[in-house]
Each structure stands twice: as C-alpha cells, then as structure tokens.
Amino acid sequence: MSPRRRIRIRIPHLLLTAALLGASPGAPPAAAAASPGVPLRVATYNIHAGAGMDNAFDLDRQATELRAIMADVIGLQEADRHWGPRSEWRDLAGELAERLGMYVYFAPIYSLDPTEPGGPRAEYGVAVLSRYRIVSAENHEITRLSTQNPDPVPAPAPGFGEVVVRVKGRPVHVYVTHLDYRPDPAVRVAQVADTRRIMAEDRGPKILLGDLNAEPGAPELAPLWEELTDADPGAPTFPAQDPVKRIDYVAVSKGAAQVRRAWVPESAASDHRAVVADLVLRGR
C-alpha cells in the first residue's frame, strides 16, 4: 500500500460567506461551552447527485432539507462536481456549502479529463461541510472496484475524505466515506480494514460519516464497532420512500463523545434519508 498522500486544500474548495467571518451561527451557545463537554450536531446524507426519489434533479429540495437539520458538520456522498448533464454540470457540494454558509472540502472518487479543452474536470465523490473552520484535509485511498472500468479489479483509489475541524479549541477528525454497493461483501471487507488503518493513525475525537451499503449487523462492518460507537437512530434510511433498511451511519470513537440522540428526518429529497446525531465532545 502506498504511503498516505497529503492533499493541499485549494481556495475554491473552502467557501465562506461574509456572515461567517465574525462568528459561526451554528456554533453552540457560550453557556454550553462552559460545560464539561462541547455539543456538536453532525449528519450524513447521500444526495444522489442532487436527485430525489422521483429522479428529478432539484438541489433546492436538498438545500432546504439540510438547512432544516441545522447540523454543524455534514458528510455528503454521491456529490457531483461538473460531472455531467444529470446534475447540470454543477458543483453540488460547493453550492450547498455556499447556501448554508459553511466551509467545504470535496474528495473526488473519480476525476476525469475535461470534455472540452480548458474546462473543469468531471468529478464525483464525497464531501464534508462544516460551520467550523477546516484546518486540514486529506483524500485517502481505500480499496475500490471502479465503476468506470468495464472489467474492474479491486485496487486502491481515492475518495475517503478526512478533515480536521477545530470545535471550540478542540481538534476533531471527521471522515466521510461511501462503501461498495455490490451484494458480495468482499470489497467492503477490504474497505473496512483500510478505514480502520487510516483512522488508527489519528488521535483525539473521531467521527465517521457515510453510506456503508450494509446494515448494522453485517459481518463486514463488525470490526468497525470495536473502536466506534454507532449513533443508532432506530430507524431505516433506504430507500427514502418507505425505507426498509439502514445503510447510512454516524459513528464516533469510543470514549471521545457522548451520543445524546440520533434520528432520521423524513424526506424524499434524495433516495436516502439523512442520519442526524447530537453529540457532546468529552474532555480536551
């Protein structure tokens, strides 16, 4: 496995509205900061390239959904960036961040050459939105089975995003991922092993946000629960209309945070429902 590759955050990946230059509107009140722990609301949401259960592209619906959640940190999956006509060639994570007044880091899984000389690269991947400043970011490689290759073989590929955000002076590692969707769990087994290896290199509070494409009791996910606590919302997330299974997760490193509550908002703005969790970060 090749060594970890540090990715420098480029200015276009960090968006900040003027209103945020003074303070973070989603930050916990001062009274809470004086308590032994610091509250943090996090969410994960597979945005289905901006389309709802009706398969109609409508980013306004998803922006409304995310605004109502009022999360401090959000992990997005299936985010297009100038990918193609299905999402009107737009930068979905960047637009959502701008509308919500949040910082953004986008970690492409695929980054294809422009369709026209001088045009933007066609990218698809995961992203983190944060009301707190992103102080560092990295796009890790994990095992993948490419959907862009007609005869793929498991191989390291990017798209496991990590950011460090500073929450009331506390550095917090946030990871966002999208695991393999195929019925055969073999690639997910490798991806879980990669995830644990990457996360083990970091210290302090860690939060994993993602579409893991497996239910909580799946054997391939069992190793994750050795170090992480599943913020179980007690409700399914997929498909968004009459969901029957939970494949979307918020998980936190054991001992680093208390899960006060978790829930699944009812919405068909995507083909997944979001998972939202109220956490309290412990200690320093």
Side-chain angles (χ1 to χ4, degrees):
M1 181 68 67
S2 60
R4 290 170 40 156
R5 180 163 57 92
R6 182 70 59 177
I7 303 296
R8 184 183 299 274
I9 306 173
R10 294 176 294 168
I11 294 299
H13 282 173
L14 293 177
L15 301 178
L16 180 63
T17 61
L20 284 181
L21 291 175
S24 288
S35 67
V38 173
L40 186 71
R41 177 170 291 181
V42 300
T44 187
Y45 195 29
N46 182 322
I47 62 172
H48 193 218
M53 279 297 297
D54 55 7
N55 282 320
F57 176 78
D58 188 344
L59 200 62
D60 292 341
R61 291 186 297 192
Q62 295 183 353
T64 298
E65 174 72 12
L66 290 173
R67 190 173 291 110
I69 286 172
M70 298 180 64
D72 300 303
V73 177
I74 304 167
L76 302 179
Q77 302 85 43
E78 296 194 21
D80 285 359
R81 190 169 188 261
H82 315 303
W83 181 258
R86 71 180 185 187
S87 51
E88 300 178 353
W89 306 94
R90 289 155 65 177
D91 174 4
L92 304 189
E95 285 195 32
L96 288 172
E98 188 169 26
R99 294 189 193 194
L100 297 171
M102 302 176 82
Y103 297 93
V104 58
Y105 176 69
F106 175 74
I109 297 172
Y110 304 120
S111 184
L112 310 182
D113 290 338
T115 56
E116 298 180 0
R121 297 188 67 80
E123 296 182 315
Y124 166 89
V126 298
V128 176
L129 311 184
S130 175
R131 297 194 188 281
Y132 295 97
R133 184 178 296 276
I134 295 172
V135 298
S136 66
E138 191 166 354
N139 187 1
H140 298 276
E141 291 186 340
I142 63 173
T143 303
R144 294 197 183 278
L145 204 58
S146 175
T147 62
Q148 305 302 298
N149 187 331
D151 189 22
V153 295
F160 182 91
E162 175 190 355
V163 305
V164 177
V165 296
R166 192 167 294 277
V167 181
K168 297 296 183 181
R170 307 179 189 204
V172 179
H173 291 263
V174 180
Y175 313 84
V176 59
T177 192
H178 190 182
L179 300 191
D180 192 75
Y181 65 90
R182 296 166 179 87
D184 183 347
V187 175
R188 286 192 298 277
V189 169
Q191 290 176 327
V192 167
D194 294 337
T195 297
R196 296 180 72 204
R197 171 183 52 80
I198 292 166
M199 294 181 68
E201 297 179 3
D202 299 320
R203 295 186 177 183
K206 306 171 193 178
I207 302 171
L208 178 66
L209 306 171
D211 173 359
L212 304 188
N213 270 310
E215 296 187 70
E220 65 266 32
L221 298 189
L224 287 177
W225 313 135
E226 295 180 22
E227 294 96 15
L228 299 175
T229 297
D230 175 16
D232 183 0
T237 61
F238 184 83
Q241 188 70 42
D242 302 320
V244 296
K245 58 183 178 179
R246 179 163 68 94
I247 58 176
D248 302 277
Y249 294 81
V250 170
V252 298
S253 51
K254 291 184 176 178
Q258 173 192 359
V259 180
R260 280 190 170 171
R261 66 176 184 133
W263 69 98
V264 174
E266 184 175 346
S267 173
S270 172
D271 64 340
H272 289 241
R273 294 186 181 185
V275 176
V276 190
D278 280 338
L279 311 177
V280 178
L281 302 178
R282 293 172 171 158
R284 279 194 177 272

